[in-house]
């Protein structure tokens, strides 16, 4: 297994079905905070359903159609990032993120999403990455903006959550925009050094 450092005491690692007990404990802590935004938080309510959620991503990974990663802070799973959809042939993907309150305010979600974008654009040669969120999820919208994404538009009353129809915003980033974003980030890091 590998781990990618995100910050002192924090790392990004794959989330796999055998980690279902840890994942369930995390989702139980995060449920009220993430349930409106991440549909599987509603469905991962016991060990079997948590394992099924992780297995669905393991199956996507095996088919090169998606993947899920956890963010650990001081040894505790506090959030994660995922390729909700990944289509190498079409050159597109969708990235999703989540966090429990203990994982917020440290830049971990943004740092982890940057690793996924680098993988998508640099390693795999994708052309477009999407980020979908509801306008009410201000933290998700802010992360998309920090990553340099552009709001393409709003799918009005697209999804249903507990009997209420929610708008969904579609944000995107193109490979050429990511290259510019990364050059700017490298320059900023060099200036700070």
């Amino acid at each position: 297994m590998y781990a990618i450092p995100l910050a002192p005491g924090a790392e990004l690692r794959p989330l796999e079905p055998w980690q279902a007990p840890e994942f369930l404990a995390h989702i139980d802590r995060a449920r009220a905070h993430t349930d409106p935004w991440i549909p599987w938080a509603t469905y991962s309510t016991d060990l079997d359903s948590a394992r099924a959620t992780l297995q669905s991503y393991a199956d996507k990974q095996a088919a090169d159609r998606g993947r899920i990663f956890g963010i650990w802070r001081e040894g505790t799973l506090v959030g994660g990032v995922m390729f909700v959809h990944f289509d190498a042939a079409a050159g597109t993907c969708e990235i999703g993120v989540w966090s429990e309150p203990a994982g917020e305010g440290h830049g971990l979600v943004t740092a982890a999403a940057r690793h996924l974008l680098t993988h998508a654009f640099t390693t795999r040669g994708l052309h477009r990455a999407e980020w979908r969120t509801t306008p009410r999820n201000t933290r998700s919208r802010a992360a998309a903006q920090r990553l340099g994404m552009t709001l393409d538009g709003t799918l009005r009353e697209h999804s249903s959550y507990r009997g209420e129809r929610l708008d969904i915003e579609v944000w995107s980033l193109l490979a050429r925009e990511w290259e510019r974003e990364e050059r700017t980030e490298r320059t900023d890091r060099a200036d700070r050094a």
Side-chain angles (χ1 to χ4, degrees), residues 1-2 11 14 17 35 69 80 82 88 102-103 105 113 119 122 124-125 129 133 136 140 166 168 172 177 180 189 193:
M1 170 122 62
Y2 65 88
E11 60 189 16
D35 188 50
F69 302 87
M82 60 196 156
H119 177 75
T122 305
R124 298 299 304 274
T133 188
R136 294 181 190 173
S140 181
L166 300 177
I168 298 295
S172 70
E177 296 165 338
R180 281 194 303 267
R189 279 194 306 264

Side-chain angles (χ1 to χ4, degrees), residues 157-168:
E157 298 184 10
H158 178 271
S159 301
S160 178
Y161 175 72
R162 298 188 179 187
E164 180 183 5
R165 299 300 303 185
L166 300 177
D167 292 348
I168 298 295

Side-chain angles (χ1 to χ4, degrees), residues 68-81:
I68 192 168
F69 302 87
I71 297 171
W72 278 263
R73 183 169 178 250
E74 304 300 334
T76 300
L77 180 61
V78 295
V81 294

